[in-house]
Each structure stands twice: as C-alpha cells, then as structure tokens.
Amino acid sequence: MSSENRKLIVVSGASTGLGAATARELARRGFHVLAGVRRDSDADAIRSTGVEPVTLDITEPEHVGALAARVADDPRALHALVNNAGIQVNAPVETLPMARWRWVFEVNLFGHVAVTQALLPALLRGRGRVVNISSIGGRVAMPTYGAYAGAKFALEAVSDALRREVAPLGVRVVVVEPGGIRTEMATRGIATANDLAADMTPEQDERYGDLVRAVNALMASGTSSGLTADAAARLVAKAVTTRRPRTRYAIGRDAALLTRLTRVLSDRTLDRVTAATLRRHHPKGVALADHG
C-alpha cells in the first residue's frame, strides 16, 4: 500500500446511502476513512477494515471540534473532506414553517461550512481537497424544493468562493451533483413531504395538494430508475482521487440532462418543460399551468 493510500479521508453523513457507500469505496481503495455517524447502531453497521466511525452531528460544535482534534492527532495527512450529510425537506414556499427553513439551511449548508472551517488547517497542510455533495437541485429548483434547493444553490456558491480562495494554497474544491439515487434519503424525503402536506390548511391544500403529490410521484420515479448508491459512490471516489479533478461532476443521466438544459433553455422555456414533466405525474384529470 502506497503512502498516498494511507491518508485520511473524512466523510460526513455516512450512516446510510451515498455516504456509507462512499466510505466503503474509499476504504476499499486503501484510505483510512473517518465516517461520520450519529448513532451507535450506525457505527456498528459501518465499522470495517479502513472505516472508522466517528460520532458526528455537523450541527453540533462539540462534535465538529472533536473531529478536528481526532484529525490533528493523527500522523497521517488528511487527503479529503467529503461533505455529504444532508436532509431532504420538500414543501411549497408558502407552507413550510420558518423553523424548518432554518433547519434545512443549518444541516445542508452551515454544518458543512463549520466542518470545512475546522478541517481546513489539516487540508492545507496536506494539500488535500474538499468535495461538497450538492445536488442537481443546486442547479434547478423544482416546485416544493425551495428550501432544499436554496441550501444547495448556496452550497454551490460557497464552493465557488472557497475554490478561488484556496486553489493558490494547493487545496482543490470539487462539487458533486447527484440526480436520482436509490437511497433511503429519497424515501424519507417523500415521507417528510407527505407529513408536511398533512399540516397544510384546507386553502393551502387546494392550492398545492395536487402539486405535492405530483412532485412526490416524480421523485419516486426518478429514484427507482436512478443509480445505486454503490455506483454513485464510485463516481464520488473519482472526484476524491483523480489527480486533476473537474470543478463539478453530475451523477446520473437525469442530472447530466438537466445540467445541459439549464445551459441552453431560457427560464420560461425551462418552466414549461418542468410543468410538462410534472403533468405526467399529476393526479388524473388535473392540469398544471405552464405560466408561460
């Protein structure tokens, strides 16, 4: 095993799904992975050769500080930080309580900034890299994705700023934009959307109820036809290990297609494409307006 492959990598949100698959894939390639989990049961499930679970809620300063101390005490260089932790909360802008808006940004943006700040000294010493797991929602905001996409758009902007700040210092910053992936996060996201929809007022349900159901159906369809977590993890590992990584990687055919569409279509045309796509998943007999 080379000295390169003995380096450390931190992966947050590694309890299940893409994070767990990424931790295992990087360990298989010879790295020592500090896998952030929130529960003891998750730690027991992921612990294996090359994968060391660490308790990490990225919104808890004590956890972030302990992680930074663990990395600082290790003689091995920190090769990469993979900011993967996240939650999916979908609801119309009007109906999502402000406390939930703030929590989505706390987990999907501010927590990543906190971990990045804490580990940047080690990354600078090792000339490592930051890999931020964004989403195709960081490029295109579908209806009901206001909070989730808003945080991902912001993560993309922070990534651009950070890349331009630390590139002269030898640290690379990469954004990964997955589309549909067959993970528990998508299933939980649909359940959360249904719970939030149940709390809408009758007037709000009349305005948005069918839209929420259509978006959920589209999400379920995209997830079932998406990449497996293991296949997506291999692409994340490429962003982590390739010598000259691109600034952005789209994962999945849907992500690649939407990325291309955003480059060539006007906002109004993209609105019509979005409405037409949702119409195929809408309750029978109900139409969505194009607002064109």
Side-chain angles (χ1 to χ4, degrees):
M1 186 181 298
S2 70
S3 60
E4 173 73 14
N5 285 346
R6 285 197 294 269
K7 291 181 177 181
L8 294 176
I9 293 179
V10 171
V11 179
S12 68
S15 295
T16 59
L18 179 59
T22 297
R24 294 189 180 104
E25 175 64 22
L26 290 168
R28 187 186 67 78
R29 297 184 183 212
F31 292 96
H32 186 84
V33 181
L34 301 178
V37 299
R38 297 180 62 190
R39 293 175 291 272
D40 291 341
S41 58
D42 295 329
D44 294 337
I46 199 170
R47 185 180 286 108
S48 59
T49 302
V51 179
E52 175 187 339
V54 294
T55 301
L56 180 62
D57 179 336
I58 64 173
T59 69
E60 292 289 343
E62 296 82 0
H63 290 188
V64 175
L67 173 64
R70 167 68 184 83
V71 170
D73 289 342
D74 199 299
R76 293 167 289 196
L78 180 61
H79 174 73
L81 163 62
V82 181
N83 282 314
N84 171 75
I87 56 173
Q88 186 162 344
V89 176
N90 287 44
V93 171
E94 178 188 349
T95 69
L96 186 64
M98 286 308 303
R100 299 298 290 268
W101 277 91
R102 294 186 176 97
W103 183 241
V104 170
F105 274 74
E106 191 66 37
V107 176
N108 289 355
L109 177 65
F110 301 135
H112 296 316
V113 173
V115 175
T116 302
Q117 287 181 337
L119 295 186
L120 260 177
L123 289 166
L124 288 164
R125 287 193 299 271
R127 299 178 71 83
R129 67 187 62 178
V130 178
V131 178
N132 286 330
I133 308 299
S134 177
S135 166
I136 190 57
R139 293 289 192 100
V140 181
M142 295 286 286
T144 78
Y145 275 70
Y148 180 80
K152 292 299 187 180
F153 267 68
L155 182 63
E156 299 253 352
V158 170
S159 300
D160 286 343
L162 179 65
R163 184 181 70 250
R164 291 158 184 155
E165 292 164 1
V166 298
L169 306 176
V171 172
R172 299 180 184 273
V173 178
V174 183
V175 174
V176 175
E177 299 166 335
I181 300 177
R182 284 176 266 167
T183 67
E184 294 178 15
M185 182 177 179
T187 302
R188 290 194 299 266
I190 292 172
T192 299
N194 286 331
D195 290 342
L196 290 166
D199 291 333
M200 291 192 299
T201 67
E203 293 79 9
Q204 290 171 341
D205 184 70
E206 183 176 355
R207 286 194 285 272
Y208 307 115
D210 288 322
L211 173 63
V212 170
R213 286 182 280 275
V215 172
N216 281 348
L218 176 61
M219 191 189 314
S221 174
T223 299
S224 64
S225 63
L227 293 177
T228 65
D230 288 341
R234 289 191 288 272
L235 296 173
V236 175
K238 179 180 179 181
V240 170
T241 60
T242 191
R243 183 171 175 270
R244 294 177 62 86
R246 301 200 300 264
T247 59
R248 281 175 170 79
Y249 291 86
I251 294 184
R253 287 177 295 178
D254 55 342
L257 175 61
L258 280 172
T259 297
R260 288 195 293 271
L261 289 178
T262 60
R263 293 170 180 163
V264 300
L265 298 182
S266 68
D267 287 345
R268 293 299 186 190
T269 302
L270 192 57
D271 288 349
R272 288 191 287 272
V273 171
T274 299
T277 301
L278 283 173
R279 192 177 296 116
R280 294 196 294 270
H281 297 272
H282 224 256
K284 189 175 180 180
V286 179
L288 283 172
D290 284 340
H291 302 298

Coordinates of all heavy atoms in Angstrom, one line a residue, residues 103-141:
W103 N -33.7 25.0 9.7 CA -33.1 23.8 10.0 C -32.5 23.2 8.7 O -31.4 22.6 8.7 CB -34.1 22.8 10.6 CG -33.4 21.5 11.0 CD1 -33.8 20.2 10.6 CD2 -32.4 21.3 11.9 NE1 -33.0 19.3 11.1 CE2 -32.1 19.9 12.0 CE3 -31.6 22.2 12.7 CZ2 -31.1 19.4 12.8 CZ3 -30.6 21.6 13.5 CH2 -30.4 20.3 13.6
V104 N -33.2 23.3 7.6 CA -32.6 22.8 6.3 C -31.3 23.5 6.0 O -30.3 22.8 5.6 CB -33.7 23.0 5.2 CG1 -33.0 22.7 3.8 CG2 -34.9 22.1 5.4
F105 N -31.3 24.8 6.2 CA -30.0 25.5 5.9 C -29.0 25.2 7.0 O -27.8 25.1 6.7 CB -30.3 27.0 5.9 CG -30.7 27.5 4.5 CD1 -32.0 27.2 4.0 CD2 -29.8 28.2 3.7 CE1 -32.4 27.7 2.8 CE2 -30.2 28.6 2.4 CZ -31.5 28.3 2.0
E106 N -29.4 24.9 8.2 CA -28.4 24.6 9.2 C -27.7 23.3 8.9 O -26.5 23.1 9.1 CB -29.1 24.4 10.6 CG -28.2 24.3 11.8 CD -27.4 25.6 12.1 OE1 -27.9 26.7 11.9 OE2 -26.2 25.4 12.5
V107 N -28.5 22.3 8.4 CA -27.9 21.0 8.1 C -27.2 21.0 6.8 O -26.1 20.5 6.6 CB -29.0 19.9 8.2 CG1 -28.4 18.5 7.7 CG2 -29.6 19.8 9.6
N108 N -27.9 21.5 5.8 CA -27.4 21.4 4.4 C -26.4 22.4 3.9 O -25.8 22.3 2.9 CB -28.6 21.4 3.4 CG -29.4 20.1 3.5 OD1 -29.1 19.2 4.2 ND2 -30.5 20.1 2.8
L109 N -26.2 23.4 4.8 CA -25.2 24.5 4.4 C -24.3 24.8 5.6 O -23.1 24.6 5.5 CB -25.9 25.8 4.0 CG -25.0 26.9 3.6 CD1 -24.1 26.6 2.4 CD2 -25.8 28.2 3.4
F110 N -24.8 25.4 6.7 CA -24.0 25.9 7.7 C -23.2 24.8 8.4 O -22.0 25.0 8.8 CB -24.8 26.6 8.8 CG -25.6 27.8 8.2 CD1 -26.9 28.0 8.5 CD2 -25.0 28.7 7.3 CE1 -27.6 29.0 8.0 CE2 -25.7 29.7 6.8 CZ -27.0 29.9 7.1
G111 N -23.7 23.6 8.5 CA -23.0 22.5 9.1 C -21.8 22.2 8.3 O -20.7 21.9 8.8
H112 N -21.9 22.2 7.0 CA -20.8 21.9 6.1 C -19.7 23.0 6.2 O -18.5 22.7 6.1 CB -21.2 21.8 4.6 CG -22.2 20.6 4.4 ND1 -21.9 19.4 4.9 CD2 -23.3 20.5 3.7 CE1 -22.9 18.5 4.6 NE2 -23.8 19.2 3.9
V113 N -20.2 24.2 6.3 CA -19.2 25.3 6.5 C -18.4 25.1 7.8 O -17.2 25.3 7.8 CB -19.9 26.7 6.4 CG1 -18.9 27.8 6.8 CG2 -20.6 26.9 5.1
A114 N -19.1 24.7 8.8 CA -18.4 24.5 10.1 C -17.4 23.4 10.1 O -16.3 23.6 10.6 CB -19.5 24.2 11.2
V115 N -17.7 22.3 9.4 CA -16.8 21.2 9.3 C -15.6 21.6 8.4 O -14.4 21.3 8.7 CB -17.4 20.0 8.8 CG1 -16.4 18.8 8.6 CG2 -18.5 19.5 9.7
T116 N -15.9 22.3 7.4 CA -14.8 22.8 6.4 C -13.9 23.7 7.2 O -12.6 23.6 7.0 CB -15.4 23.5 5.2 OG1 -16.3 22.5 4.5 CG2 -14.4 23.9 4.2
Q117 N -14.4 24.7 7.9 CA -13.6 25.6 8.6 C -12.7 24.9 9.6 O -11.5 25.2 9.7 CB -14.4 26.6 9.4 CG -15.1 27.7 8.6 CD -15.9 28.6 9.4 OE1 -16.3 28.3 10.5 NE2 -16.1 29.8 8.8
A118 N -13.2 23.9 10.3 CA -12.5 23.1 11.3 C -11.4 22.3 10.7 O -10.3 22.1 11.3 CB -13.4 22.2 12.1
L119 N -11.6 21.8 9.5 CA -10.6 20.9 8.9 C -9.7 21.5 7.9 O -8.7 20.9 7.4 CB -11.3 19.7 8.3 CG -12.0 18.8 9.3 CD1 -12.6 17.5 8.5 CD2 -11.2 18.3 10.4
L120 N -9.9 22.8 7.5 CA -9.1 23.4 6.5 C -7.6 23.5 6.9 O -6.7 23.3 6.1 CB -9.6 24.8 6.2 CG -10.4 24.9 4.9 CD1 -11.0 26.3 4.7 CD2 -9.6 24.4 3.7
P121 N -7.3 23.8 8.2 CA -5.8 23.7 8.5 C -5.1 22.4 8.1 O -4.0 22.4 7.6 CB -5.8 24.0 10.0 CG -7.0 24.8 10.3 CD -8.1 24.2 9.3
A122 N -5.8 21.3 8.4 CA -5.2 20.0 8.1 C -5.2 19.8 6.6 O -4.3 19.2 6.0 CB -6.0 18.9 8.7
L123 N -6.3 20.2 5.9 CA -6.3 20.1 4.4 C -5.2 21.0 3.8 O -4.6 20.6 2.8 CB -7.7 20.5 3.9 CG -8.8 19.5 4.2 CD1 -10.1 20.2 3.9 CD2 -8.7 18.2 3.4
L124 N -5.0 22.1 4.3 CA -3.9 23.0 3.8 C -2.5 22.4 4.0 O -1.7 22.4 3.1 CB -4.0 24.4 4.5 CG -5.2 25.2 4.0 CD1 -5.4 26.4 5.0 CD2 -5.0 25.7 2.6
R125 N -2.3 21.7 5.2 CA -1.0 21.1 5.4 C -0.8 19.9 4.4 O 0.3 19.7 4.0 CB -1.0 20.6 6.9 CG -0.8 21.7 7.9 CD -0.4 21.1 9.3 NE -1.4 20.2 9.8 CZ -2.5 20.6 10.5 NH1 -2.6 21.9 10.8 NH2 -3.4 19.7 11.0
G126 N -1.9 19.2 4.2 CA -1.8 18.0 3.3 C -2.0 18.3 1.8 O -2.0 17.4 1.0
R127 N -2.3 19.6 1.5 CA -2.7 19.9 0.1 C -3.8 19.0 -0.4 O -3.7 18.4 -1.4 CB -1.5 19.9 -0.8 CG -0.4 20.9 -0.4 CD 0.8 20.8 -1.3 NE 0.6 21.3 -2.6 CZ 0.6 22.6 -2.9 NH1 0.9 23.5 -2.0 NH2 0.4 23.0 -4.2
G128 N -4.8 18.9 0.4 CA -5.9 18.0 0.1 C -7.0 18.6 -0.7 O -6.8 19.6 -1.4
R129 N -8.2 18.1 -0.5 CA -9.4 18.6 -1.3 C -10.7 18.6 -0.5 O -10.8 17.7 0.4 CB -9.5 18.0 -2.6 CG -9.9 16.5 -2.6 CD -9.9 15.9 -4.0 NE -8.5 15.9 -4.5 CZ -8.2 15.4 -5.7 NH1 -9.1 14.8 -6.5 NH2 -7.0 15.5 -6.2
V130 N -11.6 19.4 -0.8 CA -12.9 19.5 -0.3 C -13.9 19.0 -1.4 O -13.9 19.6 -2.5 CB -13.3 20.9 0.2 CG1 -14.8 20.8 0.7 CG2 -12.4 21.3 1.3
V131 N -14.7 18.0 -1.1 CA -15.7 17.5 -2.0 C -17.1 17.7 -1.4 O -17.4 17.1 -0.4 CB -15.5 16.0 -2.4 CG1 -16.6 15.5 -3.3 CG2 -14.1 15.8 -3.0
N132 N -17.8 18.7 -2.0 CA -19.1 19.0 -1.5 C -20.2 18.3 -2.3 O -20.3 18.5 -3.5 CB -19.3 20.5 -1.5 CG -18.6 21.3 -0.5 OD1 -18.3 20.7 0.6 ND2 -18.2 22.5 -0.8
I133 N -21.0 17.5 -1.6 CA -22.1 16.8 -2.3 C -23.3 17.7 -2.3 O -24.0 17.9 -1.3 CB -22.4 15.4 -1.5 CG1 -21.2 14.6 -1.3 CG2 -23.5 14.7 -2.3 CD1 -20.5 14.2 -2.6
S134 N -23.5 18.3 -3.5 CA -24.6 19.1 -3.7 C -25.7 18.3 -4.2 O -26.1 17.3 -3.7 CB -24.2 20.3 -4.7 OG -25.3 21.1 -4.9
S135 N -26.3 18.7 -5.3 CA -27.5 18.0 -6.0 C -27.8 18.7 -7.3 O -27.4 19.9 -7.5 CB -28.7 18.1 -5.0 OG -29.9 17.8 -5.7
I136 N -28.4 18.0 -8.2 CA -28.9 18.7 -9.3 C -29.9 19.8 -8.9 O -30.1 20.8 -9.6 CB -29.6 17.7 -10.3 CG1 -29.9 18.4 -11.7 CG2 -30.9 17.1 -9.7 CD1 -28.6 19.0 -12.3
G137 N -30.4 19.7 -7.7 CA -31.2 20.7 -7.1 C -30.4 22.0 -6.8 O -31.0 23.0 -6.5
G138 N -29.1 21.9 -6.9 CA -28.3 23.1 -6.8 C -28.2 23.8 -8.1 O -27.6 24.9 -8.1
R139 N -28.7 23.3 -9.1 CA -28.8 23.9 -10.5 C -30.2 24.3 -10.9 O -30.4 25.3 -11.5 CB -28.2 23.0 -11.5 CG -26.7 22.7 -11.4 CD -25.9 23.9 -11.8 NE -24.5 23.5 -11.9 CZ -23.9 23.2 -13.1 NH1 -24.6 23.3 -14.2 NH2 -22.6 22.9 -13.2
V140 N -31.2 23.4 -10.5 CA -32.6 23.6 -11.0 C -33.4 23.4 -9.7 O -33.4 22.4 -9.1 CB -33.0 22.6 -12.0 CG1 -34.4 22.8 -12.5 CG2 -32.0 22.7 -13.2
A141 N -34.3 24.4 -9.5 CA -35.2 24.4 -8.3 C -36.6 24.0 -8.8 O -37.3 24.8 -9.3 CB -35.2 25.7 -7.6

